[in-house]
Amino acid sequence: MEKPQVFILDVDGVMTTGQFLYTAEGKAMKVFGPDDNDALGLLQPYIEIRFVTGDKKGFPISQKRIVEDMGFPLDLVSTHKRIDWIAERYDAARVIYMGDGIFDHYVMKQVAYSIAPANADALAVQSADFVTARAGGDRAVAEACLHLMERYFVPFNPERRPDAQNQQLGDWA
C-alpha cells in the first residue's frame, strides 16, 4: 500500500456503542467511549481523519461530538453508498476505513486497509484486515489508531509523554 491518505471512520458502532437511546420525543442520545479522542489526536499529525454516518435523525448528536467537540469533519453518507462517496473524493488504494455494519464489507473489500471493532457484523469482521479486541464505543478507535501508528507511521511510545503542543490530547471534549 502507498502511504495512506485518509482514515475514514463510521460513527455509529465504531465511535459509539451503536445503541440509540430514545424517549417519547425521539432519538435523544448516543454513547461515545473514552480514549478515542486522545488516540485520534496522536494519529492526526500523520493522516487526514474524517467521519461518516448514515444516521439522519441522530446527525445533530454526532455533529456535536465529532465536529464541535473533537474538531473532525463529518459527512452524512448512506451506508450502502459509501464506496461511491469515497471513490469520488479519494484514491481507494490510499484509504483506511473503519466500520462495523452489514454494508461495511462492501467498502472494506475495495479500500487499501480496513478495520472492524470486535463487535462488528460478521461480514465486516470477515472482510476487515484488522479486528480490534475492543468493541465500538469502548476504546476500539483508540486501539485502531495505535495499530495504524505502529503499522504505517511512528509507533506510540508509552514511556514518552506526547507533545504538549497538541492541545487536543488529554482534554475531555
Side-chain angles (χ1 to χ4, degrees):
M1 169 180 184
E2 294 181 53
K3 182 179 176 191
Q5 176 185 11
V6 63
F7 183 26
I8 300 172
L9 301 93
D10 184 16
V11 174
D12 299 300
V14 175
M15 282 294 290
T16 73
T17 61
Q19 299 168 312
F20 302 129
L21 302 160
Y22 276 81
T23 67
E25 289 76 36
K27 193 177 290 184
M29 292 181 271
K30 298 180 181 190
V31 178
F32 288 84
D35 293 329
D36 293 339
N37 187 42
D38 282 339
L40 287 161
L42 291 171
L43 183 63
Q44 189 174 24
Y46 304 103
I47 190 169
E48 177 185 350
I49 298 170
R50 69 183 310 150
F51 290 85
V52 292
T53 181
D55 182 17
K56 291 179 185 177
K57 289 185 179 180
F59 190 81
I61 299 168
S62 297
Q63 186 173 35
K64 171 64 179 139
R65 178 66 180 139
I66 302 298
V67 179
E68 294 176 31
D69 293 349
M70 295 171 53
F72 291 105
L74 170 69
D75 293 284
L76 184 62
V77 182
S78 169
T79 56
H80 71 318
K81 294 181 181 176
R82 288 205 179 142
I83 193 59
D84 298 328
W85 181 89
I86 290 169
E88 290 170 6
R89 289 158 180 79
Y90 299 100
D91 174 1
R94 297 185 62 202
V95 171
I96 299 170
Y97 179 79
M98 185 169 183
D100 71 303
I102 63 172
F103 299 129
D104 284 323
H105 71 282
Y106 296 119
V107 177
M108 292 174 165
K109 291 177 181 178
Q110 295 190 43
V111 297
Y113 197 77
S114 59
I115 302 171
N119 63 333
D121 175 77
L123 288 171
V125 169
Q126 289 172 353
S127 300
D129 296 300
F130 179 74
V131 178
T132 65
R134 304 301 282 260
D138 184 27
R139 296 181 171 96
V141 171
E143 184 181 338
C145 289
L146 296 179
H147 168 75
L148 293 174
M149 289 178 68
E150 176 82 30
R151 182 177 175 92
Y152 293 108
F153 307 109
V154 177
F156 172 63
N157 180 354
E159 301 301 319
R160 187 165 177 231
R161 195 169 55 170
D163 183 2
Q165 296 293 327
N166 189 335
Q167 298 293 322
Q168 179 178 348
L169 298 177
D171 289 338
W172 284 80

